[in-house]
Amino acid sequence: MNTQETIDKCYNIIRSKTDFVPSVAIVLGSGLGKHATDIDIVETIDYKDIEGFPVSTVKGHEGRFVFGYIEQVPVVLMQGRVHYYEGYSMEEVVLPIRLMRMMGAKTLLLTNAAGGINPAFAAGDFMLIRDHIASFVPNPLLGKNIDRLGERFPDMSNVYDNNLCDIIKNTAKELDIPLHEGVYIQFTGPSYETPTEVRMAKILGADAVGMSTACEAIAAKHAGMKICAISCISNPASGVTTEELSHADVIVATDKSSMNFKRLVFEVVKNIG
Ligand code: HPA
């Protein structure tokens, strides 16, 4: 089956289960998914019940769409995402983003756990993503263009919407939640970086490193969505401190920050309106 047929099939399965039309789509990253149940839930659909849909194998990543309302705003949440390192193709990795666009979401809020490259960042801090470096992962738009989603050569000079970034910054200020800004670099993982790779990323202009998000932002931009993204810095990246990295520590760190993260995300959605 080609990508268009898979998208249509998944979309039809979703529409056979709910006719909910979200305006904002939200992807909840590692350790952040538990707050999906804090919204006014209308419907949930497990990824495993959507034939052809990629299902996450990672601990800390549940796998379902949650439909409902945050303060009257109709949203679809992804409680868990899939990653390229799990063995899925980039087309599969970004399939959920395209489906949420087709469901009606025009705005996308991406979240993730990331390693802090910028020495000013501490574990538990938040970073607004202003731009990304995705040159080290395959582009999700490789292959035949899906014309009805977007154009062959989409512009990437403004992936993260300035208006949405302002809303996030103002919301963080109102809530008294410190917020850094910076550039996110995506590597494939699943191994964490070496200290030298992190130094390279720093020279290239990156402030935080992770294994998701940039590819999703590219697919969303292609499909004409307005995008914003927030990283939860779960650890200093490799070599920034001498401590070893572990996924368990990443989950613990994001878990600790997750109450503030939820406050920020929910208030941002309300302010996006
Ligand atoms: N590197 C890559 N991905 C990550 C990290 C990291 O240090 N922390 C959380 N996700």
Side-chain angles (χ1 to χ4, degrees):
M1 216 183 316
N2 68 31
T3 308
Q4 296 214 32
E5 286 167 353
T6 306
I7 291 175
D8 286 340
K9 192 165 171 208
C10 289
Y11 182 75
N12 289 336
I13 293 171
I14 292 166
R15 279 292 170 242
S16 73
K17 295 175 191 290
T18 180
D19 56 7
F20 192 87
V21 176
S23 69
V24 180
I26 305 167
V27 181
L28 297 170
S30 301
L32 305 167
K34 64 178 179 193
H35 294 301
T37 48
D38 296 345
I39 71 167
D40 294 326
I41 297 178
V42 171
E43 187 81 58
T44 65
I45 302 178
D46 289 349
Y47 300 153
K48 67 174 167 41
D49 294 334
I50 308 169
E51 204 189 321
F53 197 93
V55 177
S56 179
T57 56
V58 189
K59 197 160 178 274
H61 283 265
E62 297 83 341
R64 60 178 185 165
F65 283 121
V66 179
F67 300 90
Y69 293 89
I70 295 177
E71 307 265 4
Q72 327 293 336
V73 182
V75 297
V76 53
L77 302 188
M78 283 186 70
Q79 193 174 17
R81 58 152 63 88
V82 292
H83 302 81
Y84 183 64
Y85 62 71
E86 292 177 71
Y88 291 107
S89 68
M90 269 298 180
E91 279 192 342
E92 289 173 301
V93 169
V94 303
L95 173 72
I97 303 293
R98 290 169 160 170
L99 288 171
M100 294 192 293
R101 175 71 193 93
M102 287 168 68
M103 290 176 211
K106 293 192 177 69
T107 302
L108 175 66
L109 169 53
L110 296 164
T111 72
N112 60 41
I117 296 175
N118 188 319
F121 296 180
D125 286 357
F126 300 134
M127 183 190 90
L128 176 66
I129 299 181
R130 293 309 305 233
D131 200 0
H132 70 226
I133 299 171
S135 320
F136 294 89
V137 297
N139 192 297
L141 309 179
L142 286 173
K144 193 171 181 323
N145 187 51
I146 305 175
D147 293 332
R148 67 187 153 99
L149 281 181
E151 60 183 300
R152 173 75 290 189
F153 300 107
D155 175 55
M156 292 288 147
S157 52
N158 236 324
V159 177
Y160 302 89
D161 184 82
N162 283 330
N163 238 339
L164 293 176
C165 286
D166 284 346
I167 290 175
I168 292 175
K169 284 201 293 188
N170 291 336
T171 306
K173 217 175 273 165
E174 272 164 32
L175 296 177
D176 214 14
I177 295 174
L179 182 68
H180 302 289
E181 291 181 45
V183 173
Y184 176 91
I185 188 167
Q186 178 176 1
F187 289 129
T188 65
S191 53
Y192 289 112
E193 301 70 35
T194 64
T196 311
E197 286 166 339
V198 168
R199 274 208 316 278
M200 172 190 73
K202 189 176 180 192
I203 290 166
L204 296 180
D207 297 286
V209 55
M211 306 174 192
S212 65
T213 305
C215 59
E216 297 162 346
I218 291 171
K221 182 72 179 170
H222 174 248
M225 297 178 93
K226 284 198 183 334
I227 303 152
C228 56
I230 309 169
S231 291
C232 176
I233 303 298
S234 55
N235 56 280
S238 169
V240 177
T241 69
T242 50
E243 273 180 44
E244 286 191 8
L245 304 185
S246 80
H247 183 63
D249 290 346
V250 167
I251 299 293
V252 169
T254 46
D255 210 48
K256 264 193 199 154
S257 303
S258 76
M259 262 330 283
N260 258 352
F261 206 76
K262 175 197 151 175
R263 283 174 63 222
L264 179 59
V265 167
F266 279 36
E267 198 66 17
V268 162
V269 170
K270 186 176 134 192
N271 290 338
I272 289 172

